[in-house]
């Protein structure tokens, strides 16, 4: 399953770091963060609970940028 979320990210460098953090999250098959569109695309692994995984993704992204917010 693939979903796109609105994300607040301050710079392109942070977007890249957040993308890498999201990709390393258990349950995420792939992730892309765009600074220009302020969107995050997440491809989930099979049979995972989306909201639980997104909470983990948000936590990982907040390690990069503490004021990060993802609308999910």
């Amino acid at each position: 399953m693939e979903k796109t979320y609105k994300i607040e990210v301050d710079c392109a460098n942070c977007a890249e770091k957040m993308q890498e953090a999201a990709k390393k999250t258990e349950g995420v098959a792939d992730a892309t963060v765009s600074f220009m569109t302020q969107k995050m695309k997440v491809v989930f692994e099979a049979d995972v609970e989306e909201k639980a995984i997104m909470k983990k993704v948000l936590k990982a992204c907040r390690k990069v940028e503490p004021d990060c917010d993802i609308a999910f």
Side-chain angles (χ1 to χ4, degrees):
M1 173 174 68
E2 180 179 307
K3 290 200 80 173
T4 302
Y5 303 93
K6 180 152 179 49
I7 186 170
E8 290 183 25
V9 59
D10 295 334
C11 68
N13 187 41
C14 291
E16 186 176 332
K17 289 179 181 178
M18 292 166 74
Q19 177 176 298
E20 291 307 311
K23 284 182 178 183
K24 292 178 183 175
T25 304
E26 185 179 338
V28 175
D30 194 24
T32 307
V33 177
S34 172
F35 168 66
M36 295 300 290
T37 62
Q38 297 284 297
K39 295 198 181 199
M40 171 186 270
K41 186 186 306 181
V42 180
V43 179
F44 297 95
E45 293 176 356
D47 301 323
V48 296
E49 207 279 291
E50 171 200 344
K51 287 205 180 229
I53 300 301
M54 286 308 297
K55 285 180 183 179
K56 291 179 184 178
V57 169
L58 179 59
K59 186 176 179 180
C61 288
R62 284 192 172 157
K63 288 180 181 178
V64 174
E65 190 171 301
D67 63 343
C68 166
D69 195 26
I70 302 171
F72 60 91

